C-alpha cells in the first residue's frame, strides 16, 4: 500500500550482505509506518529500494532464508534517501522451502507474489516472503 495524502516523502535503500560481504539476493525487506506499508525483494547484488515513504519513524524488517530476522527503526526525512546497509547473521536449525511461482496458463514467472508457509494445523504461519522478478522464492523457518 502506497502512502496517500502525505506531502513529506523520502526513500529507504541499502544493501544486505552476510558476514563475509557476499550480497544476499531475494531477501524480503518490509517498511511500515503510520498509514504506510511496502515490501520489496533484494536484487542479485543484495540491494533494495522503497520510495514514497512518509517522513518520520519507519520500522524495517528484513527476512532472508538461513538468516536471523533483522528489525530496526529509522527516521525518514522529506526529499532524502535513508541508506541503511545491513549484515545479516546466520540462523541455526533452519529448514528452507524454495520454489518458483508461475502463471498456471502462460507459464510466465510471477514476481512480487507473497508466499506464506503454513503449519499442518492450517493456522500457524511459519514463514513469509515475496517472489523475485524471476518467480523464485525461499522461505526459511526454525525447525
Amino acid at each position: 500500500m502506497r502512502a496517500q495524502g502525505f506531502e513529506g516523502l523520502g526513500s529507504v535503500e541499502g544493501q544486505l550482505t552476510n558476514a563475509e560481504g557476499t550480497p544476499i539476493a531475494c531477501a524480503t525487506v518490509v517498511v511500515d509506518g503510520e498509514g504506510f506499508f511496502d515490501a520489496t525483494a533484494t536484487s542479485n547484488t543484495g540491494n533494495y529500494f522503497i520510495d514514497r515513504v512518509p517522513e518520520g519513524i519507519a520500522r524495517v524488517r528484513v527476512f532472508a532464508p538461513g538468516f536471523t530476522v533483522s528489525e530496526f527503526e529509522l527516521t525518514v526525512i522529506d526529499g532524502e534517501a535513508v541508506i541503511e546497509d545491513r549484515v545479516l547473521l546466520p540462523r541455526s536449525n533452519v529448514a528452507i522451502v524454495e520454489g518458483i511461482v508461475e502463471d498456471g496458463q502462460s507459464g510466465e514467472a510471477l514476481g512480487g507474489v507473497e508466499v506464506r508457509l503454513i503449519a499442518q494445523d492450517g493456522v500457524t504461519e511459519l514463514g513469509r516472503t515475496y517472489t523475485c522478478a524471476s518467480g523464485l522464492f525461499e522461505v526459511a523457518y526454525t525447525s
Side-chain angles (χ1 to χ4, degrees):
M1 175 176 136
R2 296 286 183 184
Q4 296 182 357
F6 289 96
E7 295 194 14
L9 300 174
S11 63
V12 176
E13 60 185 275
Q15 184 184 42
L16 304 179
T17 60
N18 65 18
E20 289 77 38
T22 303
I24 300 173
C26 227
T28 300
V29 179
V30 177
V31 177
D32 61 47
E34 190 170 331
F36 179 83
F37 174 89
D38 203 354
T40 190
T42 56
S43 67
N44 288 339
T45 58
N47 293 303
Y48 66 93
F49 176 80
I50 296 179
D51 65 344
R52 302 188 48 78
V53 180
E55 70 179 325
I57 302 298
R59 181 174 174 221
V60 181
R61 289 170 287 156
V62 178
F63 306 91
F67 295 90
T68 58
V69 174
S70 178
E71 296 186 59
F72 53 96
E73 290 185 346
L74 40 82
T75 302
V76 177
I77 299 171
D78 182 28
E80 294 188 16
V82 178
I83 300 172
E84 185 68 32
D85 297 335
R86 286 282 163 150
V87 175
L88 301 185
L89 303 174
R91 185 164 48 172
S92 59
N93 297 325
V94 172
I96 297 176
V97 177
E98 60 186 7
I100 300 175
V101 177
E102 298 175 334
D103 182 283
Q105 294 180 348
S106 69
E108 182 178 320
L110 299 175
V113 175
E114 182 180 45
V115 177
R116 293 182 181 187
L117 182 60
I118 306 297
Q120 288 181 334
D121 65 10
V123 177
T124 306
E125 184 176 301
L126 301 174
R128 169 191 317 205
T129 192
Y130 291 83
T131 59
C132 293
S134 63
L136 291 171
F137 71 90
E138 287 186 348
V139 180
Y141 67 97
T142 304
S143 55

